[in-house]
Amino acid sequence: MTRRRSTSPDVNLNLNVRGLKQSATLAINERSAQLIRAGRQVYRFGLGQSPFPVPQPVVEELRANAHQKDYLPVRGLRALRDAVAAYHRRMHGIERGGEDVLIGPGSKELMFVLQLVYYGDLVIPTPSWVSYAPQARIIGRQIHWVPTQPENDWRLMPADLDRVCHEDPGRPRIVILNYPSNPTGDSYTVDELKALAKVAKKYKVILLSDEIYGELHHRGQHVSVSRYYPEGTIISGGLSKWCGAGGWRLGTFTFPGSLRWLLEAMSTVASETYTSTSAPIQYAAIRAFAGGTEMEGYLMQSRRVLRHLGRHVWRGLRDAGASVSEPVGGFYLFPDFSPLRERLARHGIQDSATLCERLLDETGVAALPGADFGRPPGELTMRLAYVDFDGARALSAAQQVPVDQELDRAFLELYCPNVAQAAAALANWLKKLK
Ligand code: GLU
């Protein structure tokens, strides 16, 4: 008897993958590009990509290293690992050496490998970045969403983390803390970090501190939680956000000595999968992590533009009736339109997916629904990435404005026109719905 082949090939997919779609951030980006190609005006607030160019010295270093063709060590180039450790010492006051650092093709891949090698549940606050949970699902780990409240600007509260861990105190867990936050743009105070670290220590969880937006704290005041729970914290970082190099795909994990076994297990998996991270990119990254006045100037102006722009959009949303917390870092806002629920319902909008669909359709503003970040589908939240502007142009214009001066509305409308227009379009749309 001949074996019958299934007519639908996807029935043979791994059960953990079946039904999963392309990651929301990348899907909205490709959809926006398609609409633009078809002649539509689209404000690209979907994908969280840095608007700023890669700093010139780092680009030059990449150019100078284009000839680097050899496979590099699985854990990363030693000089780069040393540079990352030195960066953490300088910026965060954390004593680490190059042997504590693992380089990977993006921190996203490193997060996946960590979840693969460590047998534990994933604990994440809701809302959280779109990919943590799908990664756990692909690998087959349990996911625990920890509730947060809008009154606390959606921050993870120590008591809520304690409650989840207390249910089964000895259970192995990875807790992900991400701040400045994707999707909310908020961050934690030192006291809050200390309190969270205390809970993490009590239950001996692996604390994965996703600090990829740390350098984009709008006032340059990022503090790493690993100071308060060094033995259990892995710091996740990379070039994508503060160095404008998302497409270069370079991420870093920095471990304490007590978790060296995890670094080793991860590099075994790396050696059997991606082998090592692109050689020219690693050479160039040394320059980025080395810092210096040029990098400092670039970061200072990037933060300044984001601070003023973020507050401009935030004010517009608030005045239009949304409930939204003031941005502290990064380039996201997470407005909640539930104060306008009745008005939206009259127009058939009762969930975040419909809200984003209609917004895109009727105004051209592409954003992501709160449901993609683990919020209940019926909640009227969305993530806006205020990155649709020419960062090179905005940076050089900002350099001409004395640092003690505001980048005012006229500046923002001139140099970040799409962001300013989209904020106005969104407010008008809400007003017109009646
Ligand atoms: N982290 C960015 C975002 O949340 C984009 C990169 C990605 O999702 O892979 O939009």
Side-chain angles (χ1 to χ4, degrees):
M1 219 172 87
T2 50
R3 227 171 122 230
R4 282 181 58 203
R5 291 187 110 227
S6 161
T7 47
S8 164
D10 75 346
V11 297
N12 292 332
L13 279 178
N14 177 331
L15 282 180
N16 294 348
V17 176
R18 206 184 292 176
L20 278 183
K21 296 204 191 82
Q22 189 179 16
S23 187
T25 51
L26 304 166
I28 188 75
N29 193 42
E30 290 173 20
R31 182 160 171 217
S32 302
Q34 221 168 34
L35 290 170
I36 290 170
R37 276 198 302 275
R40 284 276 311 274
Q41 158 82 281
V42 175
Y43 300 102
R44 301 181 82 156
F45 280 41
L47 177 72
Q49 167 164 277
S50 165
F52 301 114
V54 178
Q56 203 48 36
V58 184
V59 172
E60 277 158 25
E61 207 58 35
L62 180 63
R63 203 169 277 135
N65 281 285
H67 66 281
Q68 301 285 358
K69 57 174 258 312
D70 290 346
Y71 293 113
L72 293 184
V74 175
R75 293 177 193 196
L77 196 60
R78 186 56 201 234
L80 175 57
R81 299 170 73 206
D82 287 344
V84 173
Y87 160 85
H88 284 304
R89 273 200 298 278
R90 207 171 59 237
M91 301 305 296
H92 305 130
I94 296 155
E95 276 309 314
R96 295 285 182 276
E99 66 283 3
D100 298 316
V101 176
L102 180 63
I103 306 297
S107 56
K108 190 173 185 174
E109 182 64 22
L110 291 176
M111 287 168 189
F112 184 76
V113 175
L114 173 67
Q115 292 208 58
L116 185 82
V117 303
Y118 187 74
Y119 187 79
D121 292 358
L122 177 71
V123 178
I124 44 178
T126 161
S128 273
W129 176 51
V130 298
S131 290
Y132 302 138
Q135 289 193 348
R137 179 175 157 188
I138 291 167
I139 295 165
R141 300 280 180 256
Q142 291 275 343
I143 302 159
H144 290 274
W145 291 95
V146 189
T148 65
Q149 281 73 43
E151 306 83 77
N152 299 322
D153 297 320
W154 314 101
R155 287 194 301 281
L156 176 62
M157 291 292 117
D160 293 323
L161 178 60
D162 194 295
R163 201 165 303 119
V164 167
C165 295
H166 187 74
E167 281 164 18
D168 184 355
R171 207 174 169 89
R173 295 181 173 94
I174 296 174
V175 176
I176 303 185
L177 190 65
N178 163 232
Y179 66 100
S181 158
N182 177 3
T184 70
D186 196 19
S187 197
Y188 290 88
T189 64
V190 166
D191 285 344
E192 286 170 334
L193 292 176
K194 284 182 180 165
L196 286 165
K198 204 166 153 193
V199 179
K201 198 189 273 268
K202 177 171 160 194
Y203 295 100
K204 298 190 173 62
V205 304
I206 302 285
L207 185 60
L208 178 61
S209 185
D210 182 354
E211 301 181 28
I212 192 104
Y213 299 94
E215 287 292 353
L216 295 182
H217 185 291
H218 293 174
R219 298 194 181 273
Q221 290 168 352
H222 179 75
V223 174
S224 177
V225 70
S226 73
R227 288 173 78 142
Y228 312 115
Y229 178 41
E231 69 277 23
T233 304
I234 303 169
I235 309 171
S236 175
L239 295 185
S240 300
K241 309 302 178 185
W242 61 269
C243 200
W248 286 22
R249 310 309 301 131
L250 185 127
T252 67
F253 264 22
T254 304
F255 297 75
S258 45
L259 297 181
R260 182 70 49 81
W261 55 277
L262 261 180
L263 185 158
E264 282 163 7
M266 285 179 66
S267 42
T268 302
V269 173
S271 75
E272 300 290 12
T273 53
Y274 63 78
T275 303
S276 58
T277 304
S278 157
I281 300 292
Q282 290 202 52
Y283 281 97
I286 299 171
R287 181 67 193 83
F289 283 102
T293 38
E294 248 178 291
M295 293 298 294
E296 270 313 309
Y298 164 90
L299 278 171
M300 192 270 281
Q301 297 295 357
S302 306
R303 290 174 189 141
R304 189 172 174 222
V305 172
L306 292 175
R307 183 170 77 241
H308 288 102
L309 188 60
R311 286 176 56 83
H312 176 75
V313 182
W314 165 72
R315 267 190 231 107
L317 288 164
R318 204 191 44 185
D319 295 349
S323 143
V324 54
S325 46
E326 190 175 341
V328 172
F331 34 64
Y332 303 110
L333 287 160
F334 196 67
D336 179 358
F337 294 92
S338 50
L340 308 174
R341 178 172 284 283
E342 280 178 23
R343 192 192 304 176
L344 290 163
R346 281 201 295 277
H347 294 266
I349 300 171
Q350 315 217 43
D351 58 73
S352 62
T354 311
L355 175 65
C356 287
E357 274 301 324
R358 294 278 298 275
L359 184 67
L360 177 57
D361 241 31
E362 293 167 30
T363 68
V365 177
L368 286 175
D372 285 339
F373 299 82
R375 297 303 306 165
E379 188 180 85
L380 296 170
T381 46
M382 70 164 72
R383 186 190 81 171
L384 293 167
Y386 48 93
V387 294
D388 189 357
F389 62 97
D390 178 345
R393 195 167 157 258
L395 280 186
S396 60
Q399 274 160 8
Q400 308 308 313
V401 182
V403 283
D404 55 349
Q405 222 167 286
E406 287 250 323
L407 303 180
D408 58 14
R409 193 189 178 105
F411 178 98
L412 300 171
E413 284 173 354
L414 187 59
Y415 295 106
C416 312
N418 279 5
V419 176
Q421 280 166 29
L426 176 49
N428 278 340
W429 181 70
L430 289 169
K431 228 180 273 158
K432 272 207 271 171
L433 283 179
K434 292 256 168 48

